[in-house]
């Protein structure tokens, strides 16, 4: 509501090719969860300008620099993989 005070400002997404997109600041974790009969890989995402982190399916992060950095760090022995 307009009269409510907001202490956690969250910037709007950017309109790119007609779609609203948000900037990934970094990936902070990875997990695999069961979905029906299969499994789904998810990443813990820190969004630019937001305090809250949330889990996103891998397909939402395809072709992002943040995912490239995360995967390179995993290959080099770093990591925060959760089950």
């Amino acid at each position: 509501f307009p009269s409510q005070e907001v202490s956690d400002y969250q910037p709007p997404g950017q309109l790119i090719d007609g779609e609203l997109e948000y900037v990934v600041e970094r990936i902070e974790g990875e997990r695999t969860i069961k979905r029906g009969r299969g499994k789904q890989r998810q990443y813990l995402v820190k969004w630019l300008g937001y305090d809250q982190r949330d889990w996103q399916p891998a397909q939402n992060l395809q072709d992002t620099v943040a995912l490239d950095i995360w995967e390179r760090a995993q290959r080099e022995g770093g990591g925060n993989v959760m089950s």
Side-chain angles (χ1 to χ4, degrees):
F1 293 106
S3 63
Q4 290 181 331
E5 198 172 308
V6 177
S7 61
D8 180 23
Y9 171 74
Q10 298 176 345
Q14 300 173 357
L15 196 58
I16 299 174
D17 294 330
E19 292 190 30
L20 199 56
E21 295 190 10
Y22 296 85
V23 177
V24 175
E25 186 174 323
R26 66 182 170 270
I27 295 174
E28 298 183 344
E30 177 181 342
R31 70 181 181 185
T32 302
I33 62 168
K34 288 179 121 181
R35 285 278 187 217
R37 292 180 157 169
K39 294 182 179 183
Q40 180 186 60
R41 176 167 292 161
Q42 294 183 339
Y43 295 98
L44 184 60
V45 175
K46 166 66 173 83
W47 300 100
L48 186 64
Y50 290 78
D51 289 335
Q52 298 284 23
R53 288 132 177 91
D54 71 336
W55 290 99
Q56 290 290 315
Q59 68 264 20
N60 290 357
L61 299 170
Q62 289 179 333
D63 303 321
T64 62
V65 172
L67 185 57
D68 293 341
I69 292 169
W70 173 261
E71 289 174 339
R72 185 170 45 249
Q74 298 309 298
R75 284 192 303 271
E76 294 172 359
N80 185 10
V81 179
M82 304 169 188
S83 358

